[in-house]
Amino acid sequence: RNHLHAAGHICVLKDAFRYESPTEIANLTSTEKFDAALAIHLYKGGRLLQGSRIPFGIIFGGTDVNEDIKCEDKHRAMGAVLEEARFAVAFTMKMKELAAAEWPDAHKKIYVQTQGIMTSPSETFDWYGFLQNADIPSGTDSLHMFLLICGLRRVKDPLYLVDVFSDWHRKDPTVHLGIIGPAVDPLFTNEVKEKVKRAPGVHLLQEMPQDDLHAAMKRCFAVVNSSISEGMSAAILEAMDLDIPVLARNIPGNAAIIKHKETGLLFSNPQEFVVLSKSLMYDPILKREIVTRAKDYVKKHHSWESERETYQNLVLKL
């Protein structure tokens, strides 16, 4: 939205979950006199723009191309949306290739643009208050705080590491895992709450503004991603930009931005996560090298300015 505002456009954000049909969006666009639309996620956002009276573009989310294409009805709907869209944006070449393999006619209208990253840690963030609210002992310098940032829904799999992390915490009380993010799926959120209650060393944390979250990340030992499927995780890239090491589940979306033992660590099961975490804890040189290379990678491949230029140019196609 900042990119579009900077080019002189007025950009209004709407949550796709609040709308059920293209008719509702058609009414909204005519009432508000919108000139164009940009939908995030080919199915969740895109299906609402089918048959739209205004031109629109699409940004792939990740789960649309990785997961939703497996469902015949969703696949059909997404193909129809892509046919009508003026352009589509994929975060990686792999994502573009996956989409183009499913819908070959759309190949020429799919552009690749990685996510641009800009972090802004708050200078007034109260780290000790944050730990206190989470019931994490703050009077020790040996705390190793791991942060898993995700919307609470099944595809993000926040419970994947809970049992193994809790076992590790029992043996080493300095390690703690904080899970933080919006309650996207209320039913699943209750499941997470119940599980975390019975898991010492694992904490479900209150959502917070982005600049506070960036400040919290800076004080953590590592940022974790345990998703089943991922487009391109902004949290991983933000951690890299903030000089914090990343441990991520070895799935295509994560492996596209993390080179194992170079810009981060990729794990294939919970036990491997613990082994790799310990290697980071006991090898400060490895940690420093990973952090340095990750920061260079983000600067080179995830430029905020380059992302701005791409979206400002694409919007002119609408």
Side-chain angles (χ1 to χ4, degrees):
R1 180 163 66 164
N2 288 340
H3 297 332
L4 301 182
H5 281 172
H9 305 292
I10 295 165
C11 184
V12 180
L13 284 182
K14 295 288 181 185
D15 184 350
F17 287 111
R18 294 190 177 174
Y19 299 92
E20 286 179 13
S21 70
T23 309
E24 287 178 69
I25 293 295
N27 292 339
L28 173 75
T29 56
S30 62
T31 308
E32 301 280 343
K33 296 188 168 51
F34 290 136
D35 299 307
L38 187 57
I40 298 172
H41 201 284
L42 185 54
Y43 183 72
K44 288 174 193 157
R47 70 189 173 87
L48 297 169
L49 290 170
Q50 256 187 289
S52 180
R53 298 169 197 161
I54 57 173
F56 65 87
I58 294 288
I59 301 169
F60 295 134
T63 50
D64 41 12
V65 178
N66 294 326
E67 303 296 323
D68 291 340
I69 54 169
K70 297 168 190 171
C71 166
E72 203 178 311
D73 287 348
K74 288 181 179 178
H75 187 291
R76 200 179 307 113
M78 291 192 293
V81 171
L82 206 46
E83 209 172 295
E84 288 181 45
R86 294 278 178 95
F87 63 81
V89 179
F91 294 142
T92 63
M93 185 53 78
K94 182 84 192 287
M95 206 188 280
K96 172 175 177 164
E97 285 164 1
L98 281 171
E102 297 297 322
W103 303 287
D105 291 348
H107 186 271
K108 283 183 179 163
K109 64 166 79 167
I110 303 173
Y111 296 80
V112 176
Q113 173 58 54
T114 57
Q115 286 198 74
I117 291 300
M118 182 185 273
T119 53
S120 53
S122 161
E123 289 178 14
T124 56
F125 178 67
D126 180 2
W127 172 242
Y128 295 102
F130 168 76
L131 294 177
Q132 205 173 358
N133 288 340
D135 286 329
I136 297 167
S138 57
T140 169
D141 288 336
S142 58
L143 172 71
H144 294 97
M145 181 73 187
F146 293 75
L147 202 57
L148 196 165
I149 303 157
C150 67
L152 299 182
R153 52 195 177 111
R154 289 189 192 281
V155 74
K156 297 295 181 182
D157 210 3
L159 297 177
Y160 184 63
L161 300 169
V162 167
D163 289 336
V164 77
F165 203 98
S166 221
D167 289 344
W168 183 23
H169 171 80
R170 286 185 187 99
K171 294 170 195 146
D172 179 359
T174 72
V175 298
H176 289 262
L177 174 66
I179 301 170
I180 187 164
V184 180
D185 176 341
L187 208 64
F188 180 61
T189 299
N190 288 334
E191 207 178 298
V192 174
K193 282 179 182 169
E194 287 308 309
K195 177 89 173 175
V196 167
K197 259 186 217 168
R198 301 188 300 275
V202 182
H203 314 265
L204 192 56
L205 307 172
Q206 288 290 313
E207 245 192 297
M208 57 175 77
Q210 195 176 41
D211 55 349
D212 282 347
L213 181 59
H214 288 164
M217 287 163 80
K218 267 188 89 68
R219 299 296 300 265
C220 285
F221 178 74
V223 164
V224 180
N225 178 293
S226 58
S227 297
I228 294 166
S229 173
E230 195 71 74
M232 181 172 282
S233 165
I236 287 179
L237 296 170
E238 286 165 356
M240 289 175 160
D241 193 52
L242 292 164
D243 299 316
I244 303 303
V246 174
L247 292 127
R249 195 165 174 173
N250 194 357
I251 54 170
N254 290 343
I257 53 176
I258 292 174
K259 206 166 180 188
H260 184 54
K261 291 192 174 173
E262 287 197 23
T263 54
L265 297 169
L266 295 167
F267 58 88
S268 299
N269 56 58
Q271 293 70 28
E272 192 182 7
F273 164 80
V274 175
V275 170
L276 291 170
S277 296
K278 287 177 178 175
S279 74
L280 262 192
M281 284 164 66
Y282 303 132
D283 188 347
I285 293 169
L286 171 70
K287 183 183 175 186
R288 191 165 61 244
E289 286 175 349
I290 282 175
V291 160
T292 304
R293 283 192 291 255
K295 177 93 169 186
D296 289 344
Y297 165 80
V298 169
K299 271 187 186 164
K300 193 174 173 184
H301 298 284
H302 295 273
S303 152
W304 193 76
E305 290 83 0
S306 163
E307 182 189 58
R308 167 164 287 194
E309 192 180 330
T310 296
Y311 282 106
Q312 288 179 349
N313 288 335
L314 284 174
V315 163
L316 299 178
K317 292 180 182 291
L318 301 175

